[in-house]
Amino acid sequence: MARILVHALAVTSRGGAAYCRRLVSHCSRGLRQHDWLLLLPSGVNIAFPRLGDNVSILHDQPSNDAIRGSYTDHHRVQRLIAEEGIDVIVSPCDFGVLQPPVPQLLVSRNALYFSIEHVRQLRRRCEIKALLNVVMRQKLALSSIRASDQVVVPSNAMRDDILAWNSVLAPDRFHVIRPGLTPPATDPKLSAEIRSSLDTRPCVRRILLPGAYHYGRNVEVMLRAIGLLGTEHSEPIELILTTKLGVGVRNEEQDSTAAARLIQEWGLADHVTMLGKVSRNDLDALCRLADVVVCPSYVESAGTGMIEAMKCGRPIVASDLPIHRETCQGGAIYAPPFHPQSFANAIKTILDDASLGQELGKEGLERAKAFRWSAHFRDLSGILQDMIDEAARSPKVA
């Protein structure tokens, strides 16, 4: 029997908390012969459906600054590892223990830290604070990778990006494990509030861009594409956003002013519907309602939005990036990430050819079968058990 520390002090987002919940729930059942200690920051409470008596949860008060905290919290975590007799560490949130006294498995899930294009775009926008934040997090993420015995990433594309930043890293320590997806509702219905917000014009063609506003999502390119498409397509066009844009409106420090001004300058107010954050049920219903789902991102970690679209059988138009081709394969049409006319042309091609849209949807449905949380955590558990077995064979250093 081994004692496993899930070092999750870096959890800050809902997505990170959801991943931790799945990891602990799945792996502690699959490896029930081991004891699990989940270390969370104070104030973060994860609702677990049910945990076995082999799982304990400990809350700690990390530094207010996530980057500085990864260094200043180091000694407290080291003491905890010694006091609890920890045999293996699992760090599921990009940042791990920097000098682990025992083997460490790191899950690296955020491609922003390794995107040259994102750094370039932040410079172009003169977002100096955000740029410095990304650079510091990149250094910390790379330090965490170097300190880990095994690293799990969601795609080959992200692994290659990490290796491009640091060519001395051993490729064989990386394991590509696809993310899973939440099964779609059997018959999702739009809530009355969302339905009343949508365009009611006859024969309207709906384009869905899911997700919160973020520079990497490349929303401005899609707005220009919709403006171009509106002049070339005979039927009314509606771009549905599951976020809010506005002058001075920021989402996690991402300023949507430029996008909001584009809507005004291009006269797109009648073609863009901003819903804000929507429920899982509404998102599934919107996917099914959309004629096309678009992903113009210039950086992507796992292509979650595209996976959601594929599971609903919707045709996709995506940026021509390695991660998108790896995720969607034949379920999408691809366009250069900074070329609005190419996006407009690709969307129009699908809108004008119903059989093409159906074929892309079928390809996507088949591809979506490759993304299962059960398979993800089965593979992760296998890596973890191999590490435990190797640690048991190696003498501990006092």
Side-chain angles (χ1 to χ4, degrees), residues 78-196:
Q78 291 275 14
R79 286 198 302 271
L80 176 69
I81 291 169
E83 292 168 359
E84 294 287 341
I86 298 299
D87 297 292
V88 176
I89 306 165
V90 180
S91 294
C93 306
D94 294 290
F95 308 127
V97 180
L98 297 183
Q99 292 179 322
V102 297
Q104 176 169 237
L105 169 63
L106 178 74
V107 182
S108 186
R109 303 169 57 232
N110 196 335
L112 278 178
Y113 305 146
F114 311 104
S115 171
I116 296 173
E117 185 59 51
H118 189 53
V119 170
R120 185 182 297 123
Q121 291 299 318
L122 289 176
R123 285 174 176 161
R124 181 183 68 80
R125 293 174 182 266
C126 297
E127 289 276 7
I128 304 304
K129 181 179 178 181
L131 176 61
L132 291 174
N133 185 278
V134 166
V135 170
M136 289 300 296
R137 286 175 179 271
Q138 178 203 97
K139 291 181 180 298
L140 181 55
L142 284 172
S143 295
S144 297
I145 289 171
R146 286 192 291 267
S148 300
D149 299 84
Q150 305 295 332
V151 182
V152 169
V153 292
S155 67
N156 290 295
M158 184 168 167
R159 177 202 59 199
D160 294 344
D161 284 344
I162 294 172
L163 291 173
W165 277 101
N166 195 326
S167 58
V168 301
L169 292 171
D172 60 359
R173 77 167 66 178
F174 289 86
H175 303 266
V176 177
I177 305 181
R178 299 186 188 98
L181 57 81
T182 303
T186 305
D187 186 23
K189 303 293 185 183
L190 279 176
S191 63
E193 179 184 1
I194 297 298
R195 183 172 292 280
S196 66

Side-chain angles (χ1 to χ4, degrees), residues 202-222:
C203 303
V204 65
R205 309 304 296 273
R206 294 189 169 96
I207 317 300
L208 175 64
L209 200 173
Y213 180 79
H214 188 281
Y215 297 146
R217 196 147 279 132
N218 222 8
V219 174
E220 291 85 350
V221 165
M222 186 49 55

Side-chain angles (χ1 to χ4, degrees), residues 25 64 177 194 275 298 301 325 353 390:
S25 297
N64 291 330
I177 305 181
I194 297 298
L275 299 175
Y298 62 72
S301 298
R325 288 189 176 271
D353 188 344
E390 177 64 26

Side-chain angles (χ1 to χ4, degrees), residues 87 209 223 327 389:
D87 297 292
L209 200 173
L223 290 172
T327 301
D389 293 341

